[in-house]
Coordinates of all heavy atoms in Angstrom, one line a residue:
M251 N 20.2 6.2 42.3 CA 19.9 5.8 41.0 C 18.9 6.8 40.4 O 18.0 7.2 41.0 CB 19.2 4.4 41.1 CG 18.6 4.0 39.7 SD 17.9 2.4 39.8 CE 19.1 1.3 39.3
S252 N 19.1 7.1 39.1 CA 18.3 8.1 38.5 C 17.4 7.3 37.5 O 17.6 6.3 36.9 CB 19.2 8.9 37.6 OG 18.6 10.2 37.3
H253 N 16.1 7.8 37.5 CA 15.1 7.4 36.6 C 14.5 8.6 35.7 O 15.0 9.7 36.0 CB 13.9 6.9 37.5 CG 14.3 5.8 38.4 ND1 14.4 4.5 38.0 CD2 14.5 5.8 39.8 CE1 14.7 3.7 39.1 NE2 14.8 4.6 40.1
S254 N 13.8 8.3 34.8 CA 13.1 9.3 33.9 C 11.6 9.4 34.1 O 10.9 8.4 34.1 CB 13.4 9.0 32.5 OG 12.9 9.9 31.7
A255 N 11.2 10.7 34.5 CA 9.8 10.9 34.6 C 9.3 11.4 33.2 O 10.1 12.0 32.5 CB 9.5 12.0 35.6
R256 N 8.1 11.0 32.8 CA 7.6 11.4 31.6 C 6.2 12.1 31.8 O 5.4 11.7 32.6 CB 7.3 10.2 30.6 CG 8.6 9.4 30.3 CD 9.6 10.0 29.5 NE 10.9 9.4 29.4 CZ 11.2 8.3 28.7 NH1 10.3 7.8 27.9 NH2 12.4 7.9 28.7
F257 N 6.1 13.2 31.1 CA 4.8 14.0 31.4 C 4.2 14.1 29.9 O 5.0 14.6 29.0 CB 5.2 15.3 31.8 CG 4.0 16.3 32.0 CD1 2.9 16.1 32.7 CD2 4.0 17.4 31.3 CE1 1.8 17.0 32.9 CE2 3.0 18.4 31.4 CZ 1.9 18.1 32.1
S258 N 3.0 13.7 29.7 CA 2.5 13.7 28.4 C 1.0 14.0 28.4 O 0.3 13.7 29.4 CB 2.7 12.4 27.6 OG 2.1 11.4 28.2
N259 N 0.5 14.4 27.2 CA -1.0 14.4 27.1 C -1.3 13.2 26.3 O -0.9 12.9 25.2 CB -1.5 15.8 26.2 CG -0.8 15.9 25.0 OD1 0.1 15.4 24.6 ND2 -1.6 16.6 24.1
S260 N -1.9 12.2 27.0 CA -2.2 10.9 26.4 C -3.1 11.1 25.2 O -3.6 12.1 24.9 CB -2.8 10.1 27.5 OG -4.2 10.6 27.8
Y261 N -3.2 9.9 24.5 CA -4.0 10.0 23.2 C -5.5 10.3 23.6 O -6.2 10.7 22.7 CB -3.9 8.6 22.5 CG -2.5 8.5 21.8 CD1 -1.6 7.7 22.3 CD2 -2.3 9.3 20.7 CE1 -0.3 7.7 21.7 CE2 -1.1 9.3 20.0 CZ -0.1 8.5 20.5 OH 1.2 8.5 19.9
S262 N -5.9 10.0 24.8 CA -7.2 10.5 25.2 C -7.3 12.1 25.5 O -8.4 12.6 25.7 CB -7.7 9.7 26.4 OG -7.0 10.0 27.5
G263 N -6.2 12.6 25.5 CA -6.0 14.0 25.8 C -5.8 14.6 27.2 O -5.4 15.6 27.4
D264 N -5.9 13.6 28.2 CA -5.7 13.9 29.6 C -4.1 14.0 29.9 O -3.4 13.2 29.3 CB -6.4 13.0 30.5 CG -7.8 13.2 30.7 OD1 -8.3 14.3 30.2 OD2 -8.5 12.3 31.2
W265 N -3.7 14.8 30.7 CA -2.3 14.9 31.1 C -2.0 13.8 32.2 O -2.7 13.5 33.0 CB -2.0 16.2 31.7 CG -2.0 17.3 30.7 CD1 -2.9 18.2 30.3 CD2 -1.0 17.6 29.7 NE1 -2.5 19.0 29.3 CE2 -1.4 18.6 28.8 CE3 0.4 17.0 29.5 CZ2 -0.5 19.2 27.9 CZ3 1.2 17.6 28.4 CH2 0.7 18.6 27.7
E266 N -0.8 13.3 32.1 CA -0.3 12.3 32.9 C 1.1 12.3 33.1 O 1.8 12.9 32.4 CB -0.7 10.8 32.4 CG 0.0 10.5 31.0 CD -0.5 9.2 30.5 OE1 -1.4 8.5 31.0 OE2 0.0 8.9 29.3
V267 N 1.6 12.0 34.3 CA 3.0 11.9 34.6 C 3.3 10.4 35.1 O 2.5 9.9 35.8 CB 3.5 12.9 35.6 CG1 2.9 12.8 36.9 CG2 5.1 13.0 35.7
Y268 N 4.4 9.8 34.6 CA 4.7 8.5 35.1 C 6.3 8.4 35.2 O 7.0 9.2 34.5 CB 4.2 7.3 34.1 CG 4.5 7.5 32.7 CD1 5.6 6.9 32.1 CD2 3.7 8.3 31.9 CE1 5.9 7.0 30.8 CE2 4.0 8.4 30.5 CZ 5.2 7.8 29.9 OH 5.5 8.0 28.6
V269 N 6.8 7.4 35.9 CA 8.2 7.3 36.0 C 8.6 5.9 35.5 O 8.1 4.8 35.8 CB 8.6 7.2 37.6 CG1 10.0 7.0 37.8 CG2 8.1 8.5 38.2
V270 N 9.6 6.0 34.4 CA 10.1 4.8 33.8 C 11.1 4.2 34.7 O 12.0 4.7 35.1 CB 10.7 5.2 32.5 CG1 11.4 4.0 31.8 CG2 9.7 5.9 31.5
T271 N 10.9 2.9 35.1 CA 11.7 2.2 36.0 C 12.2 1.0 35.3 O 11.4 0.2 34.9 CB 11.0 1.8 37.3 OG1 9.7 1.3 37.0 CG2 10.6 3.1 38.1
S272 N 13.4 0.9 35.3 CA 14.0 -0.3 34.6 C 13.9 -1.6 35.3 O 13.7 -1.6 36.4 CB 15.6 -0.1 34.4 OG 16.1 0.1 35.6
G273 N 13.6 -2.7 34.5 CA 13.3 -3.9 35.0 C 11.9 -4.2 35.5 O 11.5 -5.2 36.1
V274 N 11.0 -3.2 35.3 CA 9.7 -3.2 35.7 C 8.7 -3.1 34.4 O 9.0 -2.1 33.7 CB 9.4 -2.1 36.8 CG1 7.8 -2.1 37.1 CG2 10.2 -2.3 38.0
P275 N 7.8 -3.9 34.2 CA 6.9 -3.8 33.0 C 6.3 -2.4 33.1 O 5.9 -1.9 34.1 CB 5.9 -4.9 33.2 CG 6.6 -5.9 34.1 CD 7.5 -5.2 35.0
S276 N 6.0 -1.8 31.9 CA 5.4 -0.4 31.8 C 4.1 -0.5 32.5 O 3.7 0.7 33.0 CB 5.3 0.0 30.4 OG 4.5 -0.9 29.6
L277 N 3.3 -1.4 32.5 CA 2.0 -1.4 33.2 C 2.1 -1.2 34.7 O 1.2 -0.9 35.3 CB 1.2 -2.8 33.0 CG 0.8 -2.9 31.5 CD1 0.2 -4.3 31.3 CD2 -0.3 -1.9 31.1
N278 N 3.3 -1.4 35.2 CA 3.5 -1.3 36.7 C 4.3 0.0 36.9 O 4.8 0.1 38.1 CB 4.3 -2.5 37.2 CG 3.5 -3.8 37.1 OD1 2.2 -3.7 37.2 ND2 3.9 -4.9 36.9
W279 N 4.7 0.8 36.0 CA 5.4 2.1 36.4 C 4.4 2.9 37.2 O 3.3 3.0 37.0 CB 5.7 2.7 35.1 CG 6.8 2.2 34.3 CD1 7.6 1.2 34.6 CD2 7.0 2.4 33.0 NE1 8.5 0.9 33.6 CE2 8.1 1.5 32.5 CE3 6.5 3.3 31.9 CZ2 8.7 1.7 31.2 CZ3 7.1 3.3 30.7 CH2 8.2 2.6 30.3
P280 N 5.1 3.7 38.2 CA 4.3 4.7 39.0 C 3.6 5.7 38.0 O 4.4 6.2 37.2 CB 5.3 5.2 40.0 CG 6.5 4.3 40.0 CD 6.4 3.6 38.6
E281 N 2.4 6.0 38.2 CA 1.8 7.0 37.4 C 0.8 7.9 38.1 O 0.2 7.5 39.1 CB 1.2 6.4 36.2 CG 0.0 5.4 36.5 CD -0.5 4.7 35.2 OE1 0.2 4.3 34.4 OE2 -1.8 4.8 35.0
H282 N 0.5 9.1 37.6 CA -0.4 9.9 38.2 C -1.2 10.6 36.9 O -0.5 11.1 36.0 CB 0.1 11.1 38.9 CG -0.8 12.1 39.3 ND1 -1.6 11.9 40.5 CD2 -1.2 13.4 38.8 CE1 -2.4 13.0 40.6 NE2 -2.1 13.9 39.6
D283 N -2.5 10.5 36.9 CA -3.4 11.1 35.9 C -4.0 12.4 36.4 O -4.6 12.4 37.5 CB -4.4 10.1 35.5 CG -5.3 10.5 34.4 OD1 -5.4 11.8 34.1 OD2 -5.9 9.6 33.7
F284 N -3.7 13.5 35.7 CA -4.3 14.7 36.2 C -5.8 14.8 35.9 O -6.4 15.7 36.5 CB -3.5 15.9 35.6 CG -2.1 16.0 36.2 CD1 -1.0 15.4 35.5 CD2 -1.8 16.7 37.3 CE1 0.2 15.5 36.0 CE2 -0.5 16.8 37.8 CZ 0.5 16.2 37.1
G285 N -6.4 14.0 35.1 CA -7.8 13.9 34.9 C -8.3 15.1 34.1 O -9.5 15.5 34.3
R286 N -7.4 15.7 33.4 CA -7.9 16.9 32.6 C -7.0 17.1 31.4 O -5.8 16.7 31.4 CB -7.9 18.2 33.4 CG -6.5 18.7 33.8 CD -6.7 20.0 34.6 NE -5.5 20.7 34.8 CZ -4.8 20.8 35.9 NH1 -5.2 20.3 37.0 NH2 -3.7 21.5 35.9
S287 N -7.5 17.8 30.4 CA -6.7 18.1 29.3 C -6.3 19.7 29.3 O -5.3 20.0 28.6 CB -7.5 17.8 27.9 OG -8.6 18.6 27.9
M288 N -7.1 20.4 29.9 CA -6.8 21.9 30.0 C -7.1 22.3 31.5 O -8.0 21.9 32.0 CB -7.5 22.8 29.1 CG -7.0 22.5 27.7 SD -5.3 22.8 27.5 CE -5.4 24.4 26.8
P289 N -6.5 23.3 32.1 CA -5.1 23.7 31.6 C -4.0 22.8 31.8 O -4.2 21.8 32.6 CB -4.9 25.0 32.4 CG -5.6 24.7 33.7 CD -6.8 23.9 33.4
V290 N -2.9 23.1 31.1 CA -1.7 22.2 31.3 C -1.3 22.3 32.8 O -1.2 23.3 33.4 CB -0.6 22.6 30.4 CG1 0.7 21.8 30.6 CG2 -1.0 22.6 29.0
P291 N -1.1 21.1 33.5 CA -0.6 21.2 34.8 C 0.7 21.9 35.0 O 1.7 21.9 34.2 CB -0.3 19.7 35.2 CG -1.3 18.9 34.3 CD -1.2 19.7 33.0
T292 N 0.7 22.8 36.1 CA 1.9 23.6 36.3 C 3.0 22.9 36.7 O 3.0 21.7 37.2 CB 1.5 24.8 37.3 OG1 1.3 24.0 38.6 CG2 0.3 25.5 37.0
L293 N 4.2 23.5 36.8 CA 5.4 22.9 37.4 C 5.1 22.4 38.8 O 5.5 21.3 39.2 CB 6.6 23.9 37.3 CG 7.9 23.4 37.9 CD1 8.4 22.1 37.3 CD2 8.9 24.5 37.8
A294 N 4.5 23.4 39.6 CA 4.2 22.9 41.0 C 3.3 21.7 41.0 O 3.5 20.8 41.8 CB 3.5 24.1 41.8
E295 N 2.3 21.6 40.3 CA 1.3 20.4 40.2 C 2.2 19.2 39.8 O 1.9 18.1 40.3 CB 0.2 20.7 39.3 CG -0.7 21.6 39.6 CD -1.8 22.0 38.7 OE1 -1.5 22.3 37.5 OE2 -3.1 21.7 39.0
R296 N 3.1 19.3 38.8 CA 3.9 18.2 38.4 C 4.8 17.7 39.4 O 4.9 16.5 39.8 CB 4.7 18.5 37.1 CG 3.8 18.5 36.0 CD 4.5 19.0 34.6 NE 4.4 20.5 34.5 CZ 5.3 21.2 34.0 NH1 6.4 20.7 33.5 NH2 5.2 22.5 33.9
T297 N 5.5 18.6 40.2 CA 6.3 18.3 41.3 C 5.6 17.6 42.5 O 6.1 16.7 43.0 CB 7.0 19.7 41.8 OG1 7.7 20.3 40.8 CG2 8.0 19.4 42.9
E298 N 4.4 18.1 42.7 CA 3.6 17.6 43.8 C 3.2 16.1 43.3 O 3.2 15.2 44.2 CB 2.2 18.3 44.0 CG 1.4 17.8 45.1 CD 0.3 18.7 45.4 OE1 0.3 20.0 45.2 OE2 -0.8 18.2 45.8
A299 N 2.8 15.9 42.1 CA 2.5 14.5 41.6 C 3.6 13.6 41.7 O 3.4 12.5 42.1 CB 1.8 14.6 40.1
L300 N 4.7 14.1 41.3 CA 6.0 13.2 41.4 C 6.3 12.9 42.9 O 6.5 11.7 43.3 CB 7.2 13.9 40.8 CG 7.3 13.8 39.2 CD1 8.4 14.9 38.7 CD2 7.4 12.5 38.7
A301 N 6.1 13.8 43.7 CA 6.4 13.5 45.2 C 5.4 12.5 45.8 O 5.7 11.6 46.5 CB 6.3 14.9 46.1
G302 N 4.1 12.6 45.2 CA 3.2 11.6 45.6 C 3.5 10.2 45.1 O 3.1 9.3 45.7
L303 N 4.2 10.2 44.1 CA 4.8 8.9 43.6 C 6.2 8.4 44.3 O 6.7 7.4 43.9 CB 5.0 8.9 41.9 CG 3.7 9.3 41.2 CD1 4.1 9.4 39.8 CD2 2.7 8.1 41.4
G304 N 6.6 9.3 45.1 CA 7.9 9.1 45.8 C 9.2 9.4 45.1 O 10.2 9.0 45.4
Y305 N 9.1 10.4 44.1 CA 10.3 10.9 43.4 C 10.4 12.4 43.3 O 9.4 13.1 43.6 CB 10.1 10.4 41.8 CG 10.2 9.0 41.7 CD1 9.1 8.1 41.9 CD2 11.5 8.4 41.4 CE1 9.2 6.7 41.8 CE2 11.6 7.0 41.4 CZ 10.4 6.2 41.5 OH 10.5 4.8 41.3
E306 N 11.5 12.8 43.2 CA 11.9 14.2 43.0 C 12.9 14.4 41.8 O 13.5 13.5 41.5 CB 12.5 14.8 44.3 CG 13.8 14.2 44.7 CD 14.4 14.5 46.1 OE1 13.7 15.3 46.7 OE2 15.4 13.9 46.5
A307 N 13.0 15.7 41.4 CA 13.9 16.0 40.3 C 15.3 15.8 40.7 O 15.7 16.1 41.9 CB 13.7 17.4 39.8
A308 N 16.2 15.2 39.9 CA 17.5 15.0 40.1 C 18.2 16.3 40.1 O 17.7 17.2 39.6 CB 18.2 14.0 39.1
D309 N 19.3 16.4 40.8 CA 20.1 17.6 40.9 C 20.3 18.2 39.4 O 20.8 17.5 38.5 CB 21.5 17.5 41.5 CG 21.2 17.3 43.0 OD1 20.3 17.6 43.6 OD2 22.2 16.6 43.6
G310 N 19.9 19.5 39.2 CA 20.2 20.2 37.9 C 19.3 19.7 36.8 O 19.4 20.2 35.7
A311 N 18.3 18.8 37.1 CA 17.4 18.4 36.0 C 16.4 19.5 35.6 O 15.9 20.3 36.4 CB 16.7 17.1 36.4
A312 N 16.0 19.5 34.3 CA 14.9 20.4 33.8 C 14.1 19.6 32.8 O 14.6 18.8 32.1 CB 15.6 21.6 33.3
W313 N 12.8 19.9 32.9 CA 12.0 19.3 31.8 C 12.4 19.6 30.4 O 12.7 20.8 30.0 CB 10.5 19.8 32.0 CG 9.9 19.3 33.2 CD1 9.6 20.0 34.4 CD2 9.3 18.0 33.5 NE1 8.9 19.2 35.3 CE2 8.7 18.0 34.7 CE3 9.1 16.9 32.6 CZ2 8.0 16.9 35.3 CZ3 8.5 15.8 33.1 CH2 8.0 15.8 34.4
Q314 N 12.5 18.6 29.6 CA 12.9 18.7 28.1 C 11.6 18.3 27.3 O 11.2 17.1 27.5 CB 14.0 17.8 27.8 CG 15.3 18.0 28.6 CD 15.9 19.4 28.4 OE1 16.0 19.8 27.2 NE2 16.3 20.1 29.4
W315 N 11.1 19.2 26.6 CA 9.9 19.0 25.8 C 10.1 18.6 24.3 O 11.1 19.0 23.7 CB 9.2 20.3 25.8 CG 8.4 20.7 27.0 CD1 9.0 21.2 28.1 CD2 7.2 20.2 27.5 NE1 8.3 21.5 29.1 CE2 7.1 20.8 28.9 CE3 6.1 19.6 26.9 CZ2 5.8 20.6 29.5 CZ3 4.9 19.3 27.6 CH2 4.9 19.9 28.9
Q316 N 9.2 17.8 23.8 CA 9.3 17.4 22.4 C 7.9 17.2 21.9 O 6.9 16.8 22.6 CB 10.1 16.2 22.1 CG 9.8 15.0 22.8 CD 10.6 13.8 22.4 OE1 10.9 13.4 21.4 NE2 11.0 13.1 23.5
E317 N 7.6 17.4 20.6 CA 6.4 17.3 19.9 C 6.4 15.9 19.2 O 7.4 15.6 18.5 CB 6.0 18.3 19.0 CG 5.8 19.7 19.6 CD 5.3 20.7 18.6 OE1 5.1 20.3 17.4 OE2 5.3 21.8 19.0
L318 N 5.4 15.1 19.3 CA 5.3 13.9 18.6 C 4.0 13.9 17.7 O 2.9 14.2 18.1 CB 5.2 12.6 19.5 CG 6.3 12.6 20.7 CD1 5.9 11.4 21.6 CD2 7.6 12.4 19.9
S319 N 4.1 13.5 16.4 CA 2.9 13.4 15.6 C 3.3 12.5 14.5 O 4.5 12.3 14.1 CB 2.5 14.7 15.0 OG 3.4 15.2 14.0
S320 N 2.3 11.9 13.8 CA 2.5 10.9 12.8 C 2.4 11.6 11.4 O 2.7 11.0 10.4 CB 1.5 9.7 12.9 OG 0.3 10.2 13.0
A321 N 1.8 12.7 11.4 CA 1.6 13.4 10.1 C 1.5 14.9 10.4 O 1.2 15.4 11.4 CB 0.3 13.0 9.4
T322 N 1.7 15.7 9.3 CA 1.8 17.2 9.5 C 0.4 17.8 9.8 O 0.4 18.8 10.5 CB 2.3 17.8 8.2 OG1 1.4 17.5 7.1 CG2 3.8 17.5 8.0
T323 N -0.6 17.1 9.5 CA -2.0 17.6 10.0 C -2.6 16.9 11.1 O -3.7 17.2 11.6 CB -2.9 17.4 8.7 OG1 -3.1 16.1 8.3 CG2 -2.5 18.4 7.6
A324 N -1.8 15.9 11.7 CA -2.4 15.1 12.8 C -2.2 15.9 14.1 O -1.4 16.9 14.2 CB -1.6 13.8 13.0
R325 N -3.1 15.6 15.0 CA -3.0 16.2 16.4 C -1.6 15.9 16.9 O -1.1 14.8 17.0 CB -4.1 15.5 17.3 CG -4.2 16.1 18.7 CD -5.3 15.3 19.5 NE -5.2 15.5 20.9 CZ -4.5 14.9 21.7 NH1 -3.7 13.8 21.3 NH2 -4.4 15.1 23.0
V326 N -1.0 16.9 17.5 CA 0.3 16.9 18.1 C 0.2 16.2 19.5 O -0.7 16.8 20.4 CB 1.0 18.2 18.0 CG1 2.4 18.1 18.9 CG2 1.3 18.6 16.6
R327 N 1.1 15.4 19.9 CA 1.2 14.9 21.3 C 2.4 15.4 21.9 O 3.4 15.3 21.3 CB 1.1 13.4 21.3 CG 1.3 12.7 22.6 CD 1.1 11.1 22.5 NE 1.1 10.7 23.9 CZ 2.1 9.8 24.2 NH1 2.9 9.3 23.4 NH2 2.0 9.3 25.4
L328 N 2.3 16.1 23.0 CA 3.5 16.7 23.7 C 4.0 15.6 24.8 O 3.3 14.9 25.4 CB 3.1 17.9 24.3 CG 2.6 19.1 23.5 CD1 2.2 20.2 24.3 CD2 3.8 19.5 22.6
L329 N 5.3 15.6 24.8 CA 6.0 14.7 25.8 C 7.1 15.5 26.4 O 7.8 16.1 25.7 CB 6.5 13.4 25.1 CG 7.3 12.4 25.9 CD1 6.4 11.8 27.0 CD2 8.0 11.4 25.0
A330 N 7.3 15.4 27.8 CA 8.4 15.9 28.4 C 9.0 14.9 29.2 O 8.5 14.1 29.7 CB 8.0 17.2 29.2
A331 N 10.4 15.1 29.5 CA 11.1 14.1 30.3 C 11.9 14.9 31.3 O 12.3 16.0 31.0 CB 11.9 13.2 29.4
L332 N 12.1 14.2 32.4 CA 12.8 14.8 33.5 C 13.5 13.8 34.3 O 12.9 12.7 34.6 CB 11.9 15.6 34.5 CG 12.5 16.1 35.9 CD1 13.3 17.4 35.6 CD2 11.4 16.4 36.8
D333 N 14.8 13.9 34.6 CA 15.7 12.9 35.3 C 15.1 13.1 36.8 O 15.1 14.2 37.3 CB 17.1 13.2 35.3 CG 17.7 12.7 33.9 OD1 17.0 11.8 33.2 OD2 18.7 13.2 33.5
V334 N 14.7 12.0 37.4 CA 14.2 12.0 38.8 C 15.0 10.9 39.6 O 15.7 10.1 39.0 CB 12.7 11.7 38.9 CG1 11.9 12.9 38.2 CG2 12.4 10.5 38.3
R335 N 14.8 11.0 40.9 CA 15.4 10.1 41.8 C 14.4 9.8 42.9 O 13.6 10.7 43.2 CB 16.7 10.5 42.4 CG 16.6 11.8 43.2 CD 17.9 12.2 43.9 NE 17.6 13.5 44.6 CZ 18.4 14.5 44.5 NH1 19.6 14.5 43.9 NH2 18.2 15.5 45.2
P336 N 14.4 8.7 43.5 CA 13.5 8.5 44.7 C 13.8 9.6 45.8 O 15.0 9.9 46.0 CB 14.0 7.0 45.2 CG 14.6 6.4 44.0 CD 15.2 7.5 43.3
I337 N 12.7 10.0 46.4 CA 12.9 11.0 47.5 C 13.8 10.3 48.6 O 13.6 9.2 49.0 CB 11.5 11.4 48.0 CG1 10.7 12.2 46.9 CG2 11.7 12.2 49.4 CD1 9.3 12.5 47.4
G338 N 14.8 11.1 49.0 CA 15.6 10.6 50.1 C 16.8 9.9 49.5 O 17.6 9.5 50.2
G339 N 16.9 9.7 48.2 CA 18.0 9.1 47.6 C 18.1 7.6 47.6 O 19.0 7.0 47.1
A340 N 16.9 7.0 48.1 CA 17.0 5.5 48.2 C 16.7 5.0 46.7 O 16.1 5.6 45.9 CB 15.8 5.0 49.1
S341 N 17.3 3.8 46.4 CA 17.1 3.3 45.0 C 16.0 2.3 44.9 O 15.4 1.8 45.8 CB 18.3 2.8 44.5 OG 19.2 2.3 45.3

């Protein structure tokens, strides 16, 4: 089963990664807070954080980035998504 990992700079500015799991309330999604706003966590750090949550990138998956903002002068919030699966292929 494939899930989606999300990597974002939260509204407080700290970077976080979490895994969207269907049928589970968002408050219970697995998450990791990097506890910093700079520097942006590297690919290796994101991979390690996902492994700590029990997930790995799905075959052929790559991070897809997008910018979110409510106005042209507002602070931009970055969001990336990656298809992931439980480590070992268990669902």
Side-chain angles (χ1 to χ4, degrees):
M251 172 182 267
S252 200
H253 301 282
S254 180
R256 306 285 168 81
F257 175 66
S258 70
N259 60 336
S260 66
Y261 285 106
S262 68
D264 285 349
W265 288 99
E266 62 188 358
V267 64
Y268 55 93
V269 179
V270 177
T271 51
S272 59
V274 176
S276 61
L277 291 175
N278 296 329
W279 290 343
E281 64 181 49
H282 174 84
D283 187 335
F284 290 93
R286 68 178 196 248
S287 59
M288 291 303 262
V290 175
T292 65
L293 177 58
E295 289 175 304
R296 287 178 266 150
T297 300
E298 184 178 331
L300 284 171
L303 298 175
Y305 292 86
E306 63 188 358
D309 292 336
W313 288 101
Q314 301 295 316
W315 288 87
Q316 61 181 309
E317 291 184 8
L318 308 172
S319 71
S320 56
T322 56
T323 59
R325 178 179 168 275
V326 172
R327 180 172 181 238
L328 296 174
L329 174 70
L332 174 73
D333 288 335
V334 296
R335 64 178 175 220
I337 292 175
S341 31

